[in-house]
Amino acid sequence: SKADQEVASSSDDKKDSADENGQDPGPPFVEDEDVLVESHDGSFLWDAVVVDVAKDPETARVTGYLVHYKNWNSRFDQWVAPDRVVEPSKNNLEVQEEVIGEYSAACNATPDELKGMFAFQYFDAKKRAKGKTRTAFEVFDCVPVGKHGSHNEELVGQLKGALLMIEAALPRGSVATDEDGHWNPVSAALWRSLVKSSLGPETLMRCILVLEDAISPEWYHEQATQLYAAIPTQFRAMGGASLSAIALRVSILDRCLKYKK
């Protein structure tokens, strides 16, 4: 990507300048030096400081850096490969700010792929079962994936967002939110956490089935019976969990729910 090229060229310039002078460039970064560290997927640049430098005993070539991430506990210090460490040049800092800005904007907006859902119309409506209003960031922070994310990872993120938006749009009275109810604040929070941490179809399918069971029957439209009769029962659904099966079930739930009476 353009950002990768800009970061790479800045780092290479620092190394090449010393080589062109015919001198040993030495380690490009030393202990206590401020640096930027690329995330594993190359999406972000994190502020850090070099704690230690590892070298090949025979060639003295740098093989890794022990870095401390600023404003993070030291238990998160880690060894990283040299090609993930770049200098905090003006160019790299601009790239860092741009990428974080884009990510923040993506998290604070409803993904376009979800705006066609019925739940989208009631996400910020009054008299919702969720109680206090949740920001788009709180609901959709699990949707964006790294720039190297696969199609399946993107789809999983969108399905998570769809499920969380339906739950956020549930009308008051559709689920039992009292202390002893199936959807009390603790249970609801645990469900949302499970959705956000889901890595594959099995867990996501379990989440949607739990939500289906928690919704009172009177809050389903009349056509719900016919639509649900055309798809696998809950027992069979778990055995055949797939992203396409989840997408279909999410779509049916969204269409069958009475978001208002």
Side-chain angles (χ1 to χ4, degrees):
S1 68
K2 181 179 178 182
D4 286 336
Q5 293 171 357
E6 290 174 341
V7 171
S9 63
S10 174
S11 180
D12 290 343
D13 288 345
K14 181 176 180 181
K15 298 173 184 178
D16 293 344
S17 60
D19 288 336
E20 290 171 358
N21 293 330
Q23 300 175 350
D24 179 8
F29 304 106
V30 297
E31 292 180 30
D32 298 324
E33 185 173 1
D34 290 333
V35 294
L36 296 175
V37 180
E38 287 187 346
S39 59
H40 284 289
D41 63 0
S43 298
F44 300 99
L45 291 171
W46 304 119
D47 295 308
V49 60
V50 176
V51 176
D52 198 1
V53 182
K55 300 180 183 178
D56 185 300
E58 296 183 357
T59 64
R61 185 183 184 86
V62 174
T63 58
Y65 295 102
L66 178 62
V67 297
H68 169 72
Y69 296 102
K70 295 182 179 180
N71 300 318
W72 284 73
N73 191 288
S74 59
R75 69 173 180 271
F76 294 104
D77 292 2
Q78 65 175 172
W79 285 96
V80 297
D83 60 2
R84 285 180 56 196
V85 183
V86 298
E87 62 180 329
S89 64
K90 179 181 178 181
N91 176 72
N92 288 344
L93 290 173
E94 289 176 351
V95 172
Q96 178 193 42
E97 184 176 357
E98 179 182 350
V99 171
I100 292 178
E102 290 175 352
Y103 180 79
S104 178
C107 287
N108 282 285
T110 303
D112 291 337
E113 296 84 357
L114 305 183
K115 290 182 178 179
M117 295 177 61
F118 291 103
F120 175 65
Q121 304 172 36
Y122 300 95
F123 173 63
D124 291 324
K126 296 180 180 179
K127 298 181 179 180
R128 301 295 103 184
K130 63 185 177 184
K132 69 173 185 177
T133 301
R134 292 185 214 130
T135 65
F137 176 78
E138 290 178 288
V139 177
F140 303 118
D141 61 337
C142 61
V143 176
V145 297
K147 61 186 178 182
H148 299 303
S150 66
H151 172 71
N152 278 354
E153 288 173 330
E154 291 180 359
L155 181 55
V156 167
Q158 291 169 15
L159 290 173
K160 289 180 181 181
L163 266 179
L164 292 166
M165 183 162 67
I166 290 175
E167 192 266 342
L170 289 176
R172 189 180 303 164
S174 62
V175 288
T177 57
D178 54 281
E179 187 175 344
D180 297 324
H182 292 301
W183 215 254
N184 62 63
V186 174
S187 297
L190 288 173
W191 180 88
R192 289 191 293 271
S193 177
L194 186 60
V195 171
K196 291 187 177 185
S197 62
S198 296
L199 299 177
E202 290 79 12
T203 307
L204 273 180
M205 180 63 81
R206 187 176 295 110
C207 288
I208 189 173
L209 297 180
V210 168
L211 183 59
E212 288 175 0
D213 280 341
I215 299 171
S216 300
E218 62 266 26
W219 286 91
Y220 284 101
H221 288 294
E222 292 181 358
Q223 72 267 30
T225 302
Q226 296 176 329
L227 288 173
Y228 276 103
I231 61 176
T233 62
Q234 290 196 346
F235 178 76
R236 291 184 177 276
M238 277 306 304
S242 66
L243 295 182
S244 58
I246 294 169
L248 176 61
R249 209 160 190 111
V250 167
S251 177
I252 290 177
L253 178 59
D254 182 51
R255 290 176 177 275
C256 290
L257 264 175
K258 293 179 181 178
Y259 288 104
K260 68 175 183 178
K261 279 192 174 181

